[in-house]
Amino acid sequence: MELLHAQSVKRLALEMGFSRCGIAQAHPLDEARRRFEESLVDGRHAGMRFLERDIAKRFDPNELLPGCQSVIVALCNYLIDDVPASDRYRMARYTWVEDYHRAVAQRLEQLAGIIIPEEAHYRVTVDSSCISEKNWAVEAGVACFGKNGLVHNEDGSYFVMGTILTDCAADFYDSFRKSDCGECRLCQDKCPAKALETPFRVDARRCFAYHTVENKNPDNEILAGSPFVFGCDVCQEVCPKNKKIHPALTNVLKSSLFLQLQNQEMEDLSEEDFKHYFGDTSIARRKYQRFHHAIEVKKQTIKNNEST
Ligand code: B12
Ligand code: SF4
Ligand code: SF4
């Protein structure tokens, strides 16, 4: 079978709007699997039972695509110039743009359609299968692990990612990238939920991003204490890696309609408005009722704080 020409794959990915692209040689990630299983044993995955399933598939691409030779990882920067009008109801930055699950998967399908030879097989993932995407970004040399549990590089950490698994080999493979946090521990010290007590390991039981996005029955007290009503960016906002970066020309994601909503409009949002203003974002993957509830709790908290 014809080999993938690594340089051409990467050039094309950048032309299509990805901020970085790397290719790792497929192999089982035994050390990452060991760490992952340790986190599960400690219960750090909170109520995310889906993480307990298909563990072999997470760390061995051969299990997801038989004969897999290469894992192509592409990053998509989501920093934009616009900012939301509401200063009370904060949403994490990845929601300010088009839902990446859709946008990134479409672009990866397009890329795969061009680069993968006809006789080869491939599979695209963007949070859509159990593969551990951060680990593959590290293996493909496009980012390294940070103590905040995310991966970063010279562009900071405001990016999302997806992979193309293929049984086609490449003419060049990138190498693993070592963590560069050094002595820094700002994210650990500033996390408002104390969810980063162990470096590199997020304790989802405490993490606000878990409670505002994944937890179907979050405790009102936890919601009240969260600086965000959807997701959380604190451990990225304090990270020095994100200090010098600017919205990139290569951003492929477009701004969402909801950015124009004022505080009062957020509070009065009907289910229909929710679909209209948030329909193209990752927030619409969650139910209106949960979103509205988080706004209500925050509104009440602000009111209580103002009256004391
Ligand atoms: C489950 C999940 C969550 C959970 C758990 C968070 C987490 N850090 O894993 C919750 C809901 C909390 C969450 C939140 C967020 N998420 Co999320 N999430 C995922 C998902 C679906 C799986 C990740 C996973 O398996 N976690 C389980 C834990 C146990 O695994 P782990 O972090 O990989 O554990 C590793 C580290 O602990 C490491 N490790 C342990 N010890 C040591 C020691 C050293 C020295 C080193 C180097 C490493 C190391 O090894 C472990 C094994 O891999 C991925 C998509 C995917 N399919 O990969 C997106 C993903 C990780 N999320 C993403 C994003 C954007 C976010 C948020 C920023 C969104 C937001 N603004 O609210 C937050 C950030 C919270 C944070 N600080 O991590 C992006 C990451 C982008 C990036 N730059 O890294 C991903 C990759 C989605 C995507 N396709 O782009 N997420
Ligand atoms: S996302 Fe927020 S709560 Fe979760 S680890 Fe980062 S700063 Fe802490
Ligand atoms: S804040 Fe410091 S320790 Fe945390 S991820 Fe950024 S560089 Fe690493």
CSV table of all heavy atoms in Angstrom, one decimal, residues 102-139:
chain,number,residue,atom,x,y,z
A,102,ARG,N,-19.0,18.6,15.8
A,102,ARG,CA,-19.5,18.6,14.5
A,102,ARG,C,-18.4,19.2,13.5
A,102,ARG,O,-18.0,18.6,12.6
A,102,ARG,CB,-20.8,19.5,14.4
A,102,ARG,CG,-21.9,18.9,13.6
A,102,ARG,CD,-23.2,19.7,13.8
A,102,ARG,NE,-23.0,21.1,14.1
A,102,ARG,CZ,-23.8,21.8,14.9
A,102,ARG,NH1,-24.9,21.2,15.5
A,102,ARG,NH2,-23.7,23.1,15.2
A,103,ALA,N,-18.0,20.4,13.9
A,103,ALA,CA,-17.1,21.2,13.0
A,103,ALA,C,-15.8,20.4,12.7
A,103,ALA,O,-15.3,20.3,11.6
A,103,ALA,CB,-16.9,22.5,13.6
A,104,VAL,N,-15.2,19.9,13.8
A,104,VAL,CA,-13.9,19.3,13.7
A,104,VAL,C,-14.0,17.9,12.9
A,104,VAL,O,-13.2,17.6,12.1
A,104,VAL,CB,-13.2,19.1,15.1
A,104,VAL,CG1,-11.9,18.3,14.9
A,104,VAL,CG2,-12.9,20.5,15.7
A,105,ALA,N,-15.1,17.2,13.3
A,105,ALA,CA,-15.3,15.9,12.6
A,105,ALA,C,-15.5,16.1,11.1
A,105,ALA,O,-14.9,15.3,10.3
A,105,ALA,CB,-16.5,15.2,13.2
A,106,GLN,N,-16.3,17.1,10.7
A,106,GLN,CA,-16.5,17.4,9.3
A,106,GLN,C,-15.2,17.6,8.6
A,106,GLN,O,-14.9,17.1,7.5
A,106,GLN,CB,-17.4,18.6,9.1
A,106,GLN,CG,-18.8,18.3,9.1
A,106,GLN,CD,-19.7,19.5,9.2
A,106,GLN,OE1,-19.2,20.6,9.1
A,106,GLN,NE2,-21.0,19.3,9.4
A,107,ARG,N,-14.3,18.5,9.2
A,107,ARG,CA,-13.1,18.8,8.6
A,107,ARG,C,-12.1,17.6,8.5
A,107,ARG,O,-11.4,17.4,7.6
A,107,ARG,CB,-12.4,19.9,9.3
A,107,ARG,CG,-12.7,21.2,8.6
A,107,ARG,CD,-12.4,22.4,9.5
A,107,ARG,NE,-13.4,23.4,9.3
A,107,ARG,CZ,-13.3,24.4,8.3
A,107,ARG,NH1,-12.2,24.5,7.7
A,107,ARG,NH2,-14.3,25.2,8.1
A,108,LEU,N,-12.2,16.8,9.5
A,108,LEU,CA,-11.3,15.6,9.5
A,108,LEU,C,-11.7,14.6,8.5
A,108,LEU,O,-10.9,14.0,7.8
A,108,LEU,CB,-11.3,14.9,10.9
A,108,LEU,CG,-10.4,15.6,11.9
A,108,LEU,CD1,-10.5,15.0,13.3
A,108,LEU,CD2,-8.9,15.6,11.5
A,109,GLU,N,-13.1,14.5,8.3
A,109,GLU,CA,-13.6,13.6,7.2
A,109,GLU,C,-13.1,14.1,5.9
A,109,GLU,O,-12.7,13.3,5.0
A,109,GLU,CB,-15.1,13.6,7.3
A,109,GLU,CG,-15.7,12.7,8.4
A,109,GLU,CD,-15.5,11.2,8.2
A,109,GLU,OE1,-15.1,10.7,7.1
A,109,GLU,OE2,-15.8,10.4,9.2
A,110,GLN,N,-13.2,15.4,5.7
A,110,GLN,CA,-12.8,16.0,4.5
A,110,GLN,C,-11.3,15.7,4.2
A,110,GLN,O,-10.9,15.3,3.1
A,110,GLN,CB,-12.9,17.5,4.6
A,110,GLN,CG,-13.4,18.2,3.4
A,110,GLN,CD,-13.5,19.7,3.7
A,110,GLN,OE1,-13.8,20.1,4.9
A,110,GLN,NE2,-13.3,20.6,2.7
A,111,LEU,N,-10.5,15.9,5.3
A,111,LEU,CA,-9.0,15.7,5.2
A,111,LEU,C,-8.8,14.2,4.8
A,111,LEU,O,-8.0,13.9,3.9
A,111,LEU,CB,-8.3,16.0,6.5
A,111,LEU,CG,-6.8,15.8,6.6
A,111,LEU,CD1,-6.1,16.7,5.7
A,111,LEU,CD2,-6.4,16.1,8.1
A,112,ALA,N,-9.5,13.3,5.6
A,112,ALA,CA,-9.3,11.9,5.3
A,112,ALA,C,-9.6,11.5,3.9
A,112,ALA,O,-8.9,10.7,3.2
A,112,ALA,CB,-10.1,11.1,6.3
A,113,GLY,N,-10.7,12.1,3.4
A,113,GLY,CA,-11.2,11.8,2.0
A,113,GLY,C,-10.1,12.1,1.0
A,113,GLY,O,-10.0,11.5,0.0
A,114,ILE,N,-9.2,13.1,1.3
A,114,ILE,CA,-8.1,13.5,0.4
A,114,ILE,C,-6.9,12.6,0.6
A,114,ILE,O,-6.3,12.2,-0.4
A,114,ILE,CB,-7.8,15.0,0.5
A,114,ILE,CG1,-9.1,15.8,0.3
A,114,ILE,CG2,-6.7,15.4,-0.5
A,114,ILE,CD1,-8.9,17.3,0.6
A,115,ILE,N,-6.5,12.4,1.8
A,115,ILE,CA,-5.2,11.8,2.1
A,115,ILE,C,-5.1,10.3,2.2
A,115,ILE,O,-4.1,9.7,2.0
A,115,ILE,CB,-4.5,12.4,3.4
A,115,ILE,CG1,-5.5,12.1,4.6
A,115,ILE,CG2,-4.3,13.9,3.3
A,115,ILE,CD1,-4.8,12.3,5.9
A,116,ILE,N,-6.2,9.7,2.5
A,116,ILE,CA,-6.2,8.2,2.7
A,116,ILE,C,-6.4,7.5,1.4
A,116,ILE,O,-7.4,7.7,0.7
A,116,ILE,CB,-7.3,7.7,3.7
A,116,ILE,CG1,-7.2,8.6,5.1
A,116,ILE,CG2,-7.2,6.3,4.0
A,116,ILE,CD1,-6.0,8.4,5.9
A,117,PRO,N,-5.4,6.6,1.0
A,117,PRO,CA,-5.5,5.9,-0.2
A,117,PRO,C,-6.8,5.0,-0.3
A,117,PRO,O,-7.3,4.6,0.8
A,117,PRO,CB,-4.3,5.0,-0.3
A,117,PRO,CG,-3.4,5.5,0.8
A,117,PRO,CD,-4.2,6.2,1.8
A,118,GLU,N,-7.3,4.8,-1.5
A,118,GLU,CA,-8.6,4.1,-1.6
A,118,GLU,C,-8.7,2.8,-1.0
A,118,GLU,O,-9.7,2.4,-0.4
A,118,GLU,CB,-8.9,4.0,-3.1
A,118,GLU,CG,-10.3,4.4,-3.5
A,118,GLU,CD,-10.5,4.6,-5.0
A,118,GLU,OE1,-10.5,3.5,-5.6
A,118,GLU,OE2,-10.4,5.7,-5.4
A,119,GLU,N,-7.5,2.0,-1.0
A,119,GLU,CA,-7.5,0.7,-0.5
A,119,GLU,C,-7.4,0.6,1.0
A,119,GLU,O,-7.5,-0.4,1.6
A,119,GLU,CB,-6.4,-0.2,-1.2
A,119,GLU,CG,-5.0,0.3,-1.0
A,119,GLU,CD,-4.6,1.4,-2.0
A,119,GLU,OE1,-5.4,2.2,-2.5
A,119,GLU,OE2,-3.3,1.5,-2.2
A,120,ALA,N,-7.1,1.8,1.6
A,120,ALA,CA,-6.9,1.8,3.1
A,120,ALA,C,-8.2,2.1,3.8
A,120,ALA,O,-9.2,2.5,3.2
A,120,ALA,CB,-5.9,2.9,3.4
A,121,HIS,N,-8.2,1.8,5.1
A,121,HIS,CA,-9.4,2.0,6.0
A,121,HIS,C,-9.0,3.2,7.0
A,121,HIS,O,-7.9,3.3,7.3
A,121,HIS,CB,-9.7,0.8,6.8
A,121,HIS,CG,-10.0,-0.4,5.9
A,121,HIS,ND1,-9.1,-1.2,5.5
A,121,HIS,CD2,-11.2,-0.8,5.3
A,121,HIS,CE1,-9.6,-2.1,4.7
A,121,HIS,NE2,-10.9,-1.9,4.6
A,122,TYR,N,-10.0,3.9,7.4
A,122,TYR,CA,-9.8,4.9,8.4
A,122,TYR,C,-11.0,5.1,9.3
A,122,TYR,O,-12.1,4.6,9.0
A,122,TYR,CB,-9.4,6.2,7.7
A,122,TYR,CG,-10.5,7.0,7.0
A,122,TYR,CD1,-11.3,7.8,7.8
A,122,TYR,CD2,-10.8,6.8,5.7
A,122,TYR,CE1,-12.4,8.5,7.2
A,122,TYR,CE2,-11.8,7.4,5.1
A,122,TYR,CZ,-12.6,8.3,5.8
A,122,TYR,OH,-13.7,9.0,5.2
A,123,ARG,N,-10.8,5.8,10.4
A,123,ARG,CA,-11.9,6.1,11.3
A,123,ARG,C,-11.6,7.5,11.9
A,123,ARG,O,-10.4,7.7,12.4
A,123,ARG,CB,-11.9,5.0,12.4
A,123,ARG,CG,-13.0,5.2,13.3
A,123,ARG,CD,-13.1,3.9,14.2
A,123,ARG,NE,-14.2,4.2,15.2
A,123,ARG,CZ,-14.7,3.3,16.0
A,123,ARG,NH1,-14.3,2.1,15.9
A,123,ARG,NH2,-15.6,3.7,16.8
A,124,VAL,N,-12.5,8.4,11.9
A,124,VAL,CA,-12.4,9.7,12.5
A,124,VAL,C,-13.0,9.7,13.9
A,124,VAL,O,-14.0,9.1,14.1
A,124,VAL,CB,-13.1,10.7,11.6
A,124,VAL,CG1,-13.3,12.1,12.4
A,124,VAL,CG2,-12.3,11.0,10.3
A,125,THR,N,-12.3,10.3,14.9
A,125,THR,CA,-12.8,10.5,16.2
A,125,THR,C,-12.7,11.9,16.7
A,125,THR,O,-11.7,12.6,16.5
A,125,THR,CB,-12.1,9.6,17.3
A,125,THR,OG1,-10.9,10.3,17.7
A,125,THR,CG2,-11.8,8.2,16.8
A,126,VAL,N,-13.8,12.4,17.3
A,126,VAL,CA,-13.8,13.7,18.0
A,126,VAL,C,-14.7,13.5,19.2
A,126,VAL,O,-15.9,13.7,19.1
A,126,VAL,CB,-14.3,14.9,17.1
A,126,VAL,CG1,-14.2,16.2,17.9
A,126,VAL,CG2,-13.6,15.0,15.8
A,127,ASP,N,-14.1,13.1,20.3
A,127,ASP,CA,-15.0,12.7,21.5
A,127,ASP,C,-16.0,11.7,21.1
A,127,ASP,O,-16.9,11.4,21.9
A,127,ASP,CB,-15.8,14.0,21.9
A,127,ASP,CG,-15.0,14.7,23.0
A,127,ASP,OD1,-13.9,14.4,23.2
A,127,ASP,OD2,-15.7,15.6,23.7
A,128,SER,N,-15.9,11.1,19.9
A,128,SER,CA,-17.0,10.2,19.5
A,128,SER,C,-16.8,8.8,19.7
A,128,SER,O,-17.6,7.9,19.6
A,128,SER,CB,-17.2,10.4,18.0
A,128,SER,OG,-16.0,10.3,17.3
A,129,SER,N,-15.5,8.4,20.0
A,129,SER,CA,-15.3,7.0,20.4
A,129,SER,C,-14.5,7.1,21.7
A,129,SER,O,-14.2,8.2,22.2
A,129,SER,CB,-14.5,6.3,19.3
A,129,SER,OG,-13.2,6.7,19.4
A,130,CYS,N,-14.1,5.9,22.2
A,130,CYS,CA,-13.4,6.0,23.5
A,130,CYS,C,-11.9,6.3,23.5
A,130,CYS,O,-11.3,6.4,24.5
A,130,CYS,CB,-13.7,4.6,24.2
A,130,CYS,SG,-13.3,3.3,23.1
A,131,ILE,N,-11.4,6.6,22.3
A,131,ILE,CA,-9.9,6.8,22.3
A,131,ILE,C,-9.5,8.0,23.1
A,131,ILE,O,-10.2,9.0,23.3
A,131,ILE,CB,-9.5,7.0,20.8
A,131,ILE,CG1,-7.9,7.0,20.7
A,131,ILE,CG2,-10.0,8.3,20.2
A,131,ILE,CD1,-7.4,6.9,19.3
A,132,SER,N,-8.4,7.9,23.8
A,132,SER,CA,-7.9,8.9,24.7
A,132,SER,C,-7.1,10.0,23.9
A,132,SER,O,-6.0,9.9,23.6
A,132,SER,CB,-7.0,8.3,25.7
A,132,SER,OG,-6.5,9.3,26.6
A,133,GLU,N,-7.8,11.0,23.5
A,133,GLU,CA,-7.3,12.0,22.5
A,133,GLU,C,-6.1,12.8,23.0
A,133,GLU,O,-5.1,13.0,22.2
A,133,GLU,CB,-8.4,12.9,22.0
A,133,GLU,CG,-9.4,12.2,21.1
A,133,GLU,CD,-10.7,12.8,20.9
A,133,GLU,OE1,-11.0,13.8,21.6
A,133,GLU,OE2,-11.5,12.3,20.1
A,134,LYS,N,-6.1,13.2,24.3
A,134,LYS,CA,-5.0,13.9,24.8
A,134,LYS,C,-3.7,13.1,24.7
A,134,LYS,O,-2.6,13.6,24.3
A,134,LYS,CB,-5.2,14.3,26.3
A,134,LYS,CG,-6.2,15.4,26.5
A,134,LYS,CD,-6.3,15.7,28.0
A,134,LYS,CE,-7.0,14.6,28.7
A,134,LYS,NZ,-7.4,14.9,30.1
A,135,ASN,N,-3.8,11.8,25.0
A,135,ASN,CA,-2.6,11.0,25.0
A,135,ASN,C,-2.0,10.9,23.6
A,135,ASN,O,-0.8,10.9,23.4
A,135,ASN,CB,-2.9,9.6,25.5
A,135,ASN,CG,-2.8,9.6,27.1
A,135,ASN,OD1,-1.7,9.8,27.6
A,135,ASN,ND2,-3.9,9.5,27.7
A,136,TRP,N,-2.9,10.8,22.6
A,136,TRP,CA,-2.5,10.7,21.2
A,136,TRP,C,-1.9,12.1,20.7
A,136,TRP,O,-0.9,12.1,19.9
A,136,TRP,CB,-3.5,10.2,20.3
A,136,TRP,CG,-3.6,8.7,20.5
A,136,TRP,CD1,-4.6,8.0,21.2
A,136,TRP,CD2,-2.6,7.7,20.2
A,136,TRP,NE1,-4.3,6.7,21.3
A,136,TRP,CE2,-3.1,6.5,20.7
A,136,TRP,CE3,-1.4,7.8,19.5
A,136,TRP,CZ2,-2.3,5.3,20.5
A,136,TRP,CZ3,-0.6,6.6,19.3
A,136,TRP,CH2,-1.1,5.4,19.8
A,137,ALA,N,-2.4,13.2,21.3
A,137,ALA,CA,-1.8,14.5,20.9
A,137,ALA,C,-0.3,14.5,21.4
A,137,ALA,O,0.6,15.0,20.7
A,137,ALA,CB,-2.6,15.6,21.5
A,138,VAL,N,-0.1,14.0,22.6
A,138,VAL,CA,1.2,13.9,23.2
A,138,VAL,C,2.1,13.0,22.4
A,138,VAL,O,3.3,13.3,22.0
A,138,VAL,CB,1.1,13.5,24.7
A,138,VAL,CG1,2.5,13.2,25.2
A,138,VAL,CG2,0.4,14.5,25.5
A,139,GLU,N,1.6,11.8,22.0
A,139,GLU,CA,2.4,10.9,21.2
A,139,GLU,C,2.7,11.4,19.8
A,139,GLU,O,3.8,11.1,19.3
A,139,GLU,CB,1.5,9.6,21.0
A,139,GLU,CG,1.3,8.7,22.2
A,139,GLU,CD,2.7,8.1,22.8
A,139,GLU,OE1,3.5,7.7,21.9
A,139,GLU,OE2,2.8,8.1,24.0
